[in-house]
Amino acid sequence: MTPLPIAGRARRAALAAALCAVVTSAATACGGPDPDEGTNGIGKLGAAEIERKARAAADAASAVRLSGTLVSKGGTYKLNMRLKQDGASGSVASKENTFELLRVGDALYLKADAGFWTHAGEDGDDKQTEADQEAARKLGDKYVKVPRNDPSYAQFRGFTEMDVILDGLLGMHGELSKGDRTRVGGVKTIEVRAAEGAGGVLDVSLIGDPYPLRFARAGGAGVLVLADWDKDFALAEPSKGETLDYSGQLPETSGD
């Protein structure tokens, strides 16, 4: 057999390399690993479509665990909440206070130590009356049922509404683009970046349903981790011995 000319072999090798570079769908055949092998395939989609599918997966989910930091005008909060459509449980911590929230249907409970229920005057001096201090002691470390007509009811309930909190916290601002392939909790993900990351970075699962698994909010306003999608959990109202039904308006707190 006559050997092929060396120059011809070199040209063919160069042509093959060029074809492999441009025909990305043939990456495996060209000898390189297929990054989408074994995944749900969303890595092949455009950034806007990945974000849309992540939103749809989140909207269809029945439950989620949300943890991380949230930075707002009022300060920095650490969240650790389990959320579903008919209730939630978990904790919210700020620089000054930590409190637990429990919602079963429309019944909303708040649990914190007595210090949470104290408040100081605008000049920093303690202007609480003896009655205020006694009320704070009674409320401390009890599940306090928040009256629905109390001004704080809607504010605290917002931390327990799955749809509301996801819509409010996962907003992206700016033109979307695909980022790096990463891992969150050992799960393969792909980034969707808004305004080159300045408008938020969403890590979407490449395994199973395309759930959002981590979100870095725009402007350094916190990083949230989302886990346990669609994993149900039990909710029950606290016992009477653990509960204090504060029939009037709740006292102001040091976090106000």
PDB file of all heavy atoms in Angstrom, residues 148-162:
ATOM      1  N   ARG A 148     -53.932  39.459  63.437  1.00  0.00           N
ATOM      2  CA  ARG A 148     -53.962  39.792  62.014  1.00  0.00           C
ATOM      3  C   ARG A 148     -54.134  41.285  61.771  1.00  0.00           C
ATOM      4  O   ARG A 148     -53.761  41.789  60.704  1.00  0.00           O
ATOM      5  CB  ARG A 148     -55.084  39.018  61.305  1.00  0.00           C
ATOM      6  CG  ARG A 148     -54.843  37.513  61.302  1.00  0.00           C
ATOM      7  CD  ARG A 148     -55.814  36.790  60.394  1.00  0.00           C
ATOM      8  NE  ARG A 148     -55.627  37.149  58.988  1.00  0.00           N
ATOM      9  CZ  ARG A 148     -56.352  36.685  57.993  1.00  0.00           C
ATOM     10  NH1 ARG A 148     -57.335  35.827  58.237  1.00  0.00           N
ATOM     11  NH2 ARG A 148     -56.119  37.048  56.758  1.00  0.00           N
ATOM     12  N   ASN A 149     -54.665  41.999  62.755  1.00  0.00           N
ATOM     13  CA  ASN A 149     -54.825  43.445  62.587  1.00  0.00           C
ATOM     14  C   ASN A 149     -53.628  44.224  63.108  1.00  0.00           C
ATOM     15  O   ASN A 149     -53.631  45.453  63.097  1.00  0.00           O
ATOM     16  CB  ASN A 149     -56.102  43.930  63.274  1.00  0.00           C
ATOM     17  CG  ASN A 149     -56.085  43.667  64.773  1.00  0.00           C
ATOM     18  OD1 ASN A 149     -55.188  42.984  65.277  1.00  0.00           O
ATOM     19  ND2 ASN A 149     -57.068  44.207  65.490  1.00  0.00           N
ATOM     20  N   ASP A 150     -52.592  43.519  63.552  1.00  0.00           N
ATOM     21  CA  ASP A 150     -51.393  44.196  64.034  1.00  0.00           C
ATOM     22  C   ASP A 150     -50.556  44.662  62.842  1.00  0.00           C
ATOM     23  O   ASP A 150     -50.440  43.945  61.848  1.00  0.00           O
ATOM     24  CB  ASP A 150     -50.567  43.238  64.901  1.00  0.00           C
ATOM     25  CG  ASP A 150     -49.440  43.957  65.620  1.00  0.00           C
ATOM     26  OD1 ASP A 150     -48.355  44.107  65.020  1.00  0.00           O
ATOM     27  OD2 ASP A 150     -49.650  44.370  66.765  1.00  0.00           O
ATOM     28  N   PRO A 151     -49.971  45.870  62.913  1.00  0.00           N
ATOM     29  CA  PRO A 151     -49.173  46.373  61.788  1.00  0.00           C
ATOM     30  C   PRO A 151     -48.015  45.459  61.388  1.00  0.00           C
ATOM     31  O   PRO A 151     -47.584  45.460  60.236  1.00  0.00           O
ATOM     32  CB  PRO A 151     -48.646  47.718  62.304  1.00  0.00           C
ATOM     33  CG  PRO A 151     -49.634  48.136  63.351  1.00  0.00           C
ATOM     34  CD  PRO A 151     -50.090  46.868  63.994  1.00  0.00           C
ATOM     35  N   SER A 152     -47.505  44.678  62.327  1.00  0.00           N
ATOM     36  CA  SER A 152     -46.358  43.823  62.017  1.00  0.00           C
ATOM     37  C   SER A 152     -46.758  42.510  61.360  1.00  0.00           C
ATOM     38  O   SER A 152     -45.884  41.774  60.875  1.00  0.00           O
ATOM     39  CB  SER A 152     -45.567  43.530  63.292  1.00  0.00           C
ATOM     40  OG  SER A 152     -46.349  42.779  64.206  1.00  0.00           O
ATOM     41  N   TYR A 153     -48.055  42.189  61.331  1.00  0.00           N
ATOM     42  CA  TYR A 153     -48.489  40.892  60.805  1.00  0.00           C
ATOM     43  C   TYR A 153     -48.046  40.705  59.351  1.00  0.00           C
ATOM     44  O   TYR A 153     -47.435  39.684  58.997  1.00  0.00           O
ATOM     45  CB  TYR A 153     -50.010  40.754  60.925  1.00  0.00           C
ATOM     46  CG  TYR A 153     -50.547  39.439  60.382  1.00  0.00           C
ATOM     47  CD1 TYR A 153     -50.641  38.321  61.189  1.00  0.00           C
ATOM     48  CD2 TYR A 153     -50.972  39.331  59.054  1.00  0.00           C
ATOM     49  CE1 TYR A 153     -51.130  37.111  60.702  1.00  0.00           C
ATOM     50  CE2 TYR A 153     -51.457  38.138  58.556  1.00  0.00           C
ATOM     51  CZ  TYR A 153     -51.533  37.026  59.387  1.00  0.00           C
ATOM     52  OH  TYR A 153     -52.009  35.838  58.877  1.00  0.00           O
ATOM     53  N   ALA A 154     -48.361  41.683  58.518  1.00  0.00           N
ATOM     54  CA  ALA A 154     -48.020  41.564  57.095  1.00  0.00           C
ATOM     55  C   ALA A 154     -46.513  41.514  56.889  1.00  0.00           C
ATOM     56  O   ALA A 154     -46.011  40.766  56.036  1.00  0.00           O
ATOM     57  CB  ALA A 154     -48.626  42.721  56.307  1.00  0.00           C
ATOM     58  N   GLN A 155     -45.779  42.299  57.681  1.00  0.00           N
ATOM     59  CA  GLN A 155     -44.317  42.325  57.549  1.00  0.00           C
ATOM     60  C   GLN A 155     -43.711  40.971  57.879  1.00  0.00           C
ATOM     61  O   GLN A 155     -42.910  40.438  57.109  1.00  0.00           O
ATOM     62  CB  GLN A 155     -43.747  43.393  58.478  1.00  0.00           C
ATOM     63  CG  GLN A 155     -42.231  43.463  58.469  1.00  0.00           C
ATOM     64  CD  GLN A 155     -41.698  44.432  59.496  1.00  0.00           C
ATOM     65  OE1 GLN A 155     -42.455  45.037  60.256  1.00  0.00           O
ATOM     66  NE2 GLN A 155     -40.389  44.585  59.532  1.00  0.00           N
ATOM     67  N   PHE A 156     -44.089  40.393  59.006  1.00  0.00           N
ATOM     68  CA  PHE A 156     -43.538  39.099  59.390  1.00  0.00           C
ATOM     69  C   PHE A 156     -44.048  37.976  58.488  1.00  0.00           C
ATOM     70  O   PHE A 156     -43.308  37.053  58.160  1.00  0.00           O
ATOM     71  CB  PHE A 156     -43.863  38.790  60.852  1.00  0.00           C
ATOM     72  CG  PHE A 156     -43.073  39.604  61.838  1.00  0.00           C
ATOM     73  CD1 PHE A 156     -43.711  40.340  62.817  1.00  0.00           C
ATOM     74  CD2 PHE A 156     -41.691  39.628  61.788  1.00  0.00           C
ATOM     75  CE1 PHE A 156     -42.985  41.089  63.734  1.00  0.00           C
ATOM     76  CE2 PHE A 156     -40.952  40.381  62.698  1.00  0.00           C
ATOM     77  CZ  PHE A 156     -41.603  41.111  63.675  1.00  0.00           C
ATOM     78  N   ARG A 157     -45.302  38.071  58.078  1.00  0.00           N
ATOM     79  CA  ARG A 157     -45.849  37.031  57.212  1.00  0.00           C
ATOM     80  C   ARG A 157     -45.107  36.977  55.880  1.00  0.00           C
ATOM     81  O   ARG A 157     -44.963  35.907  55.272  1.00  0.00           O
ATOM     82  CB  ARG A 157     -47.346  37.246  56.988  1.00  0.00           C
ATOM     83  CG  ARG A 157     -47.940  36.194  56.052  1.00  0.00           C
ATOM     84  CD  ARG A 157     -49.433  36.131  56.080  1.00  0.00           C
ATOM     85  NE  ARG A 157     -49.903  35.141  55.112  1.00  0.00           N
ATOM     86  CZ  ARG A 157     -51.053  34.491  55.188  1.00  0.00           C
ATOM     87  NH1 ARG A 157     -51.879  34.712  56.204  1.00  0.00           N
ATOM     88  NH2 ARG A 157     -51.404  33.607  54.271  1.00  0.00           N
ATOM     89  N   GLY A 158     -44.615  38.125  55.434  1.00  0.00           N
ATOM     90  CA  GLY A 158     -43.875  38.152  54.178  1.00  0.00           C
ATOM     91  C   GLY A 158     -42.682  37.221  54.164  1.00  0.00           C
ATOM     92  O   GLY A 158     -42.299  36.693  53.114  1.00  0.00           O
ATOM     93  N   PHE A 159     -42.074  36.971  55.329  1.00  0.00           N
ATOM     94  CA  PHE A 159     -40.950  36.046  55.409  1.00  0.00           C
ATOM     95  C   PHE A 159     -41.400  34.593  55.276  1.00  0.00           C
ATOM     96  O   PHE A 159     -40.567  33.699  55.118  1.00  0.00           O
ATOM     97  CB  PHE A 159     -40.215  36.205  56.744  1.00  0.00           C
ATOM     98  CG  PHE A 159     -39.332  37.417  56.822  1.00  0.00           C
ATOM     99  CD1 PHE A 159     -39.706  38.519  57.570  1.00  0.00           C
ATOM    100  CD2 PHE A 159     -38.121  37.451  56.161  1.00  0.00           C
ATOM    101  CE1 PHE A 159     -38.885  39.635  57.663  1.00  0.00           C
ATOM    102  CE2 PHE A 159     -37.298  38.564  56.238  1.00  0.00           C
ATOM    103  CZ  PHE A 159     -37.679  39.664  56.987  1.00  0.00           C
ATOM    104  N   THR A 160     -42.711  34.334  55.373  1.00  0.00           N
ATOM    105  CA  THR A 160     -43.219  32.962  55.376  1.00  0.00           C
ATOM    106  C   THR A 160     -44.010  32.599  54.126  1.00  0.00           C
ATOM    107  O   THR A 160     -44.475  31.470  54.006  1.00  0.00           O
ATOM    108  CB  THR A 160     -44.129  32.736  56.602  1.00  0.00           C
ATOM    109  OG1 THR A 160     -45.375  33.444  56.425  1.00  0.00           O
ATOM    110  CG2 THR A 160     -43.470  33.196  57.883  1.00  0.00           C
ATOM    111  N   GLU A 161     -44.174  33.528  53.208  1.00  0.00           N
ATOM    112  CA  GLU A 161     -44.932  33.290  51.984  1.00  0.00           C
ATOM    113  C   GLU A 161     -43.994  32.815  50.885  1.00  0.00           C
ATOM    114  O   GLU A 161     -43.171  33.578  50.372  1.00  0.00           O
ATOM    115  CB  GLU A 161     -45.643  34.567  51.536  1.00  0.00           C
ATOM    116  CG  GLU A 161     -46.760  35.022  52.466  1.00  0.00           C
ATOM    117  CD  GLU A 161     -48.050  34.281  52.209  1.00  0.00           C
ATOM    118  OE1 GLU A 161     -48.058  33.353  51.368  1.00  0.00           O
ATOM    119  OE2 GLU A 161     -49.056  34.632  52.837  1.00  0.00           O
ATOM    120  N   MET A 162     -44.103  31.567  50.503  1.00  0.00           N
ATOM    121  CA  MET A 162     -43.175  30.983  49.537  1.00  0.00           C
ATOM    122  C   MET A 162     -43.150  31.753  48.221  1.00  0.00           C
ATOM    123  O   MET A 162     -42.075  32.150  47.741  1.00  0.00           O
ATOM    124  CB  MET A 162     -43.534  29.520  49.296  1.00  0.00           C
ATOM    125  CG  MET A 162     -42.609  28.810  48.316  1.00  0.00           C
ATOM    126  SD  MET A 162     -42.983  27.038  48.200  1.00  0.00           S
ATOM    127  CE  MET A 162     -42.004  26.574  46.766  1.00  0.00           C
TER     128      MET A 162
END
